[in-house]
Amino acid sequence: MMFPERFSNLPAYAFPRLRALLDSHVPGGPVVNMTIGEPKHPFPSWVGDVLAANVDGFAKYPPNDGTPELLQNISDWIARRYDVSVGVDRIMVLNGSREGLYNAAMALLPEQKAGKRPVVLIPNPFYQVYMIGAISVGAEPKFVSATAENGFMPDYASLPADLLDRVTGAYICSPANPQGAVASRAYWKTLLALAEKHDFTVFSDECYSEIYRNEPPVGILEVAQEIGADPERVVIFQSLSKRSNLPGLRSGFIAAGPESAKRIRQLRAYSGAPLPLPLQKVAERVWADEEHVVENRALYQEKFAVADRIFDGVPGYQGPEGGFFLWLPVEDGEAAALDLWTQTGIRVLPGAYLAREVDGENPGKPYIRVALVTPKDEMAKALTTLRDHLYK
């Protein structure tokens, strides 16, 4: 039997790799799982009531693009958050943002550019669906290191012009997963100018945008409006998973230029799995409410302060500007993760599992990713144990 070659050289996904590394070993203490970015803060108390009131919606096929009320509430949220007007015709509801991050590549990226194989720019480390989106459309993934030297944001502008001329799409994540870096207004302007000059689309993953220290991260939509960029240059992806502690709701959205949105909706009509109607009704209410988001953000801000205190003086430590991961420097992430597990029972993710080796170097190798999702007191105890074990 024949199978496609396009995915044949993929490494195992990060978490199967982690299980292979750790699970044959006995943990060295009470297990504390700090690997996966699954929020543990409470979601709004009224979610169950809204779901129960709309449970009969499971007997109906849901609208593919989203209910009119949900689309309008998302449009209103964009206006409140970014002071940008995006009509409902430019928005589509997602069954989790990963679906959109993949399907946008399928719907929008051309098969060739100037007669050559196209290139898709990807930050390194990265959310793994970016790479699969690029491979699925026959593009060459170009992994661009995001390191401490460049503020953990990939310097796409430094790439050679002949390569940039082949670029059809560029993924970017702000706040970044895993490093927690935030794209500045200047960074967005540079990237948008680059996209215009070399004719490509920016896929902006902003799913961590509502978890931050002080000031809301600048979004690409507001900068695009400021400089008068072509709306078709930008596609953004958002989710309720982190903002509202509802990863299981699988409610996200995509916002794009009118033509891009039309093409994505068309593909979704053939291949997508729409969000069940009762879940769309919950999402309508959640996108319209900010009180629970403010409370959630305050909890993470307390955790940032705890982490900063615990790791004060640790060489190379940088607290995140946004998101809820620590990107901790170590000599070797795999060795550190295995040592922590066997000696303390703390479970973390080697940074190398989130990156690809380029020219013999993996920019994630000297890091571990630590999720700040457990209750604050438990988190503080685990971080203190981690610090004392790895850095003293």
Side-chain angles (χ1 to χ4, degrees), residues 188-196 202 220 223-224 227 229 233-234:
W188 286 129
K189 287 181 178 180
T190 298
L191 182 56
L192 286 166
L194 201 68
E196 183 64 33
V202 179
I220 194 172
V223 178
I227 67 175
R233 290 276 173 228
V234 175

Side-chain angles (χ1 to χ4, degrees), residues 38-322:
E38 183 177 72
K40 302 298 184 186
H41 295 171
F43 53 74
S45 59
W46 37 259
V47 164
D49 296 334
V50 177
L51 183 61
N54 292 279
V55 71
D56 60 342
F58 283 120
K60 303 173 184 177
Y61 284 117
N64 196 62
D65 302 334
T67 65
E69 296 82 3
L70 178 52
L71 293 169
Q72 187 60 57
N73 286 358
I74 291 170
S75 177
D76 292 344
W77 179 82
I78 293 172
R80 291 195 307 271
R81 176 62 172 83
Y82 299 115
D83 195 24
V84 174
S85 177
V86 176
V88 297
D89 62 317
R90 295 174 53 190
I91 299 168
M92 188 183 74
V93 173
L94 299 174
N95 202 331
S97 61
R98 179 157 50 178
E99 175 207 354
L101 289 160
Y102 181 81
N103 280 338
M106 298 294 290
L108 301 181
L109 300 187
E111 294 82 359
Q112 289 189 332
K113 189 174 181 185
K116 298 179 181 179
R117 183 186 180 192
V119 170
V120 172
L121 303 181
I122 298 174
N124 198 21
F126 59 98
Y127 186 29
Q128 304 296 291
V129 71
Y130 306 163
M131 176 179 67
I132 299 302
I135 292 172
S136 295
V137 298
E140 175 190 342
K142 175 63 177 177
F143 302 102
V144 182
S145 293
T147 63
E149 288 70 29
N150 56 25
F152 294 116
M153 297 301 294
D155 184 7
Y156 293 151
S158 68
L159 296 171
D162 59 341
L163 185 143
L164 288 169
D165 285 339
R166 292 171 51 208
V167 171
T168 54
Y171 284 98
I172 193 72
C173 184
S174 175
N177 172 11
Q179 309 97 320
V182 169
S184 66
R185 183 170 262 98
Y187 184 92
W188 286 129
K189 287 181 178 180
T190 298
L191 182 56
L192 286 166
L194 201 68
E196 183 64 33
K197 180 178 180 180
H198 295 278
D199 189 22
F200 62 80
T201 302
V202 179
F203 293 151
S204 182
D205 181 354
E206 300 183 23
C207 289
Y208 294 88
S209 69
E210 303 314 287
I211 302 173
Y212 52 82
R213 285 181 181 264
N214 300 306
E215 296 298 320
V218 177
I220 194 172
L221 283 180
E222 55 189 298
V223 178
Q225 178 174 269
E226 286 175 13
I227 67 175
D230 182 351
E232 303 296 345
R233 290 276 173 228
V234 175
V235 184
I236 74 158
F237 307 85
Q238 268 287 358
S239 168
L240 291 177
S241 295
K242 279 68 178 178
R243 171 191 182 268
S244 301
N245 303 312
L246 286 165
L249 188 66
R250 309 311 304 141
S251 176
F253 73 80
I254 196 168
E259 181 61 27
S260 297
K262 175 180 161 184
R263 290 172 178 269
I264 294 167
R265 284 198 302 271
Q266 183 181 31
L267 177 62
R268 182 73 172 319
Y270 282 95
S271 64
L275 194 69
L277 185 57
L279 303 188
Q280 292 196 42
K281 290 298 181 181
V282 173
E284 289 173 14
R285 174 84 178 270
V286 178
W287 279 112
D289 183 77
E290 287 297 321
E291 182 178 351
H292 75 279
V293 183
V294 173
E295 294 172 357
N296 184 48
R297 184 161 51 243
L299 293 175
Y300 281 115
Q301 289 169 340
E302 291 177 9
K303 290 181 173 182
F304 294 157
V306 170
D308 289 348
R309 174 178 55 79
I310 290 172
F311 292 102
D312 182 37
V314 171
Y317 169 75
Q318 294 186 40
E321 297 177 66

